[in-house]
Amino acid sequence: MFLSMVIPGPSSPRRNIDVCLRPLIDELTQLWSSRALTYDISRKQNFFMRAALMWTINDFSAYGMVSGWSMHGKLACPYCMENNKAFTLTNEGKALFFYCHCRFLPLNHRYRKNRNNFFVGRVEKNVAHPRLFGKELHDIVSEYGDIVFGLQSGKQKFPDFGLTHNWVKRSIFRELPYWKTNLLRHNLDIIHIEKNVFENIFNTVMDVKGKTKDNIKARLDLALLCNCKKMELVCDGSWVAKPRASFVLEKNAQLLVYKWLKSPRFPDEHASNISRLVNTEECRLYGMKSHDCHMFMQILMPLAFHDLLPKGIWDALTEINYFLKIYAPAS
């Protein structure tokens, strides 16, 4: 059985979601230990049913609600946990996981010794920290006390929160006797991730004002961390110029992409009519839903930017397209 639940965004219960899940956990506990008398309509007889919850499927925000590990700040990664190398940007003020991937590469990989294209002068010699499994996590979380849910629950924090851990509660799912032995407990819904990735890539490549990630603060942080002289801001008194990056299309090329997005036609029930979401006069996309972004990332992206972006940039986008086709095949 697939149990579905909608979590309202503006009025999200956050950690208090355990209050809503209490009836479900009680029934799952009963179905695992005590079983339940059930009628089989195909055989027309009763039988004792047992059931177990395999995993949850959710986006990144809901992941934090159901797992008990906060998805905010420098310790947001639920796998690396306190062993990651994230840091806060000086100008953007956001947590950045840039370069953390190098620890997962083979020791002889060329990216580990690249002193120019990542951090200036840095060589990565460390390896990834071993991932903790269910039993180990269960022992760690069991050391923390209980959270009193309610209107004041948001003000409760465990000692050293945000410094050595990101636990905000002991998840109600850990009351299930088999939960700590599950290899998979919480899974990410990749179609939501695709939407976020699409918006960041598209808005940056198309230089959408107010939404591009290639902004003034990003260029200031870039000058502090990387060796990219061609992309640093040019200042002349009160006048500041931002050199155009190689991954940003010129105005004429942007208009070509928007006009091209008016032309694709998909089979019935395969995708929505994306052409209705394109405004060529304002050079904007409006109302892109998760499935629209899903189709763009997996089908349209390599075609839309072909011959418009430098080969290295286009190759990188195509690799993302190939990755998503493997792990999130189009429906």
Side-chain angles (χ1 to χ4, degrees):
M1 292 185 293
F2 187 91
L3 307 177
S4 60
M5 179 174 61
V6 176
I7 302 175
S11 55
S12 169
R14 301 183 184 277
R15 74 176 74 181
N16 295 320
I17 196 173
D18 285 10
V19 177
C20 305
L21 292 173
R22 169 51 62 190
L24 172 64
I25 299 300
D26 290 343
E27 289 193 5
L28 287 172
T29 303
Q30 177 189 354
L31 289 172
W32 175 259
S33 57
S34 303
R35 63 190 181 172
L37 185 63
T38 310
Y39 182 71
D40 186 345
I41 193 169
S42 63
R43 297 183 178 182
K44 300 186 183 307
Q45 64 183 26
N46 292 327
F47 71 99
F48 287 101
M49 180 180 68
R50 295 182 184 271
L53 177 66
M54 295 177 64
W55 52 62
T56 68
I57 304 175
N58 35 253
D59 62 10
F60 209 55
S61 298
Y63 192 118
M65 297 181 200
V66 297
S67 69
W69 180 270
S70 175
M71 298 299 149
H72 301 282
K74 293 185 289 186
L75 304 183
C77 178
Y79 291 102
C80 297
M81 307 184 86
E82 71 274 11
N83 298 302
N84 69 59
K85 289 189 173 183
F87 61 96
T88 303
L89 289 172
T90 304
N91 296 283
E92 282 277 7
K94 298 179 180 179
L96 186 70
F97 293 81
F98 175 65
Y99 199 70
C100 292
H101 66 285
C102 285
R103 293 188 299 160
F104 295 88
L105 298 174
L107 291 175
N108 60 346
H109 199 282
R110 60 189 179 90
Y111 282 177
R112 284 180 170 269
K113 299 180 181 180
N114 194 322
R115 298 173 180 266
N116 294 318
N117 294 332
F118 299 106
F119 280 119
V120 176
R122 180 177 296 186
V123 174
E124 183 59 73
K125 298 181 180 179
N126 296 332
V127 296
H129 194 274
R131 176 186 169 187
L132 298 179
F133 290 95
K135 181 65 169 62
E136 297 168 308
L137 287 174
H138 181 79
D139 293 340
I140 293 174
V141 178
S142 298
E143 297 178 0
Y144 293 100
D146 293 327
I147 289 292
V148 179
F149 297 109
L151 297 178
Q152 302 299 319
S153 65
K155 298 180 180 180
Q156 302 174 75
K157 288 185 178 180
F158 294 127
D160 297 326
F161 172 80
L163 300 176
T164 61
H165 70 89
N166 250 22
W167 294 111
V168 295
K169 66 178 181 181
R170 185 169 60 247
S171 174
I172 194 172
F173 287 104
R174 298 194 177 277
E175 294 183 10
L176 299 174
Y178 52 85
W179 194 248
K180 61 184 177 182
T181 63
N182 284 6
L183 294 179
L184 291 175
R185 291 173 296 279
H186 306 291
N187 296 269
L188 291 173
D189 181 5
I190 199 169
I191 200 169
H192 286 85
I193 299 174
E194 277 185 298
K195 186 176 189 299
N196 293 334
V197 173
F198 162 77
E199 290 176 348
N200 289 335
I201 290 178
F202 188 84
N203 292 333
T204 300
V205 172
M206 304 300 284
D207 198 23
V208 179
K209 186 177 180 180
K211 295 186 176 182
T212 176
K213 296 299 180 181
D214 183 32
N215 51 41
I216 298 296
K217 291 182 178 180
R219 293 293 181 96
L220 291 173
D221 288 321
L222 183 71
L224 297 175
L225 303 174
C226 304
N227 184 21
C228 300
K229 300 296 183 181
K230 295 181 179 179
M231 294 182 61
E232 294 183 9
L233 297 175
V234 178
C235 302
D236 185 9
S238 59
W239 176 77
V240 178
K242 185 180 71 173
R244 188 177 67 85
S246 59
F247 51 79
V248 175
L249 294 180
E250 296 179 347
K251 292 295 182 181
N252 293 337
Q254 295 176 22
L255 186 58
L256 288 175
V257 173
Y258 286 114
K259 288 182 176 179
W260 179 80
L261 288 174
K262 283 283 191 180
S263 61
R265 296 291 183 269
F266 297 100
D268 292 343
E269 299 183 0
H270 182 70
S272 62
N273 189 359
I274 296 180
S275 63
R276 294 182 299 180
L277 310 177
V278 181
N279 188 324
T280 54
E281 295 180 359
E282 299 181 11
C283 287
R284 294 288 291 270
L285 279 177
Y286 293 97
M288 290 283 285
K289 305 298 183 183
S290 295
H291 192 265
D292 299 325
C293 301
H294 174 73
M295 300 307 298
F296 188 97
M297 292 295 295
Q298 296 206 13
I299 298 177
L300 301 179
M301 186 168 66
L303 303 174
F305 299 131
H306 192 265
D307 295 333
L308 297 178
L309 289 172
K311 185 179 184 303
I313 304 297
W314 185 83
D315 287 345
L317 295 182
T318 305
E319 288 289 335
I320 296 175
N321 168 264
Y322 179 70
F323 174 85
L324 293 174
K325 281 185 176 180
I326 295 176
Y327 292 99
S331 57

